Amino acid sequence: IDEQRVVRVSKYLAKHLRHQPERIGITLDPHGWVEVDVLLEAAAAHGFPISRAELEQAVADNDKRRYAIEGGRIRASQGHSVRVDLDLPVVEPPPVLFHGTVARNMASIMAEGLRPMRRHHVHLSPDQETATRVGARRGKPVVLVVDAGAMHVSGHRFRRSSNGVWLVDHVPPAFLHAM
Ligand code: HQG
């Protein structure tokens, strides 16, 4: 299965497992899961047939492990805009985390902090390289250092998705500084 096809399948999954399940007539359970069989049937019925092998490759090969399959069901590991409860435990973060963005967002970020925007959480990266890649999706990357340890001490709750993305509701500007 060629790489371009896997990327297309992955994008299709993101669209329907994170944002618009109703577009292909599927319903996610409260934790974001849907039966693999139901998903494959719905995709085929809506003009985007995916074989089981393609699905498995899109899940397994995904550079970011964006999707998880468990007990015949699949979900996106993070990044939803539809309401789901990923049921992730609150865990103590490392002392610092990183956020990749671009210069045009900086004035607003430094004034009001990091906000989830269209997603459920602010996404933070465990290392500078990952944050640089995240920022570079939008232009010349700017990496911010998040004082996660101090946030944790002052009661902010951190969760980590199964693919290693750190999630938090808000990062006030006091806990942010440029690199
Ligand atoms: C910015 C991808 C102005 C924020 C990546 C970002 C990541 C503000 C944008 C994951 C702001 C939101 C998430 C504020 C935040 N004022 N701009 N107060 N607060 N922003 O895509 O972090 O491919 O929702 O800096 O790899 O870029 O989807 O978040 O530029 O892990 O799996 O608002 O998405 O993963 O953009 O990326 P996003 P993100 P996937």
Side-chain angles (χ1 to χ4, degrees), residues 34-177:
V34 62
E35 296 288 335
V36 169
D37 291 342
V38 169
L39 171 69
L40 294 181
E41 264 175 45
H46 289 80
F48 195 91
I50 304 168
S51 72
R52 200 163 283 269
E54 287 172 330
L55 181 78
E56 279 166 11
Q57 188 160 337
V59 172
D61 281 14
N62 204 285
D63 53 327
K64 283 191 59 193
R65 293 181 292 121
R66 287 184 178 86
Y67 312 103
I69 293 185
E70 260 177 51
R73 299 178 308 166
I74 183 169
R75 78 172 178 187
S77 298
Q78 33 72 221
H80 298 80
S81 57
V82 294
R83 282 225 77 71
V84 296
D85 171 10
L86 291 175
D87 220 12
L88 300 169
V90 172
V91 286
E92 182 174 350
V96 294
L97 289 167
F98 301 88
H99 180 83
T101 189
V102 283
R104 64 176 179 274
N105 294 338
M106 283 299 290
S108 159
I109 289 173
M110 285 320 211
E112 59 180 29
L114 289 170
R115 298 200 171 280
M117 311 308 276
R118 289 201 171 80
R119 307 197 193 231
H120 283 184
H121 300 98
V122 174
H123 288 222
L124 302 174
S125 307
D127 55 75
Q128 207 181 314
E129 294 68 43
T130 308
T132 303
R133 268 202 306 280
V134 171
R137 288 154 52 240
R138 303 177 189 285
K140 187 172 181 293
V142 174
V143 174
L144 295 169
V145 182
V146 176
D147 194 350
M151 284 181 70
H152 171 72
V153 166
S154 60
H156 288 267
R157 291 195 296 262
F158 287 80
R159 292 179 166 82
R160 189 180 45 212
S161 72
S162 63
N163 60 336
V165 176
W166 285 88
L167 307 170
V168 68
D169 290 339
H170 176 221
V171 179
F175 298 104
L176 283 171
H177 55 95

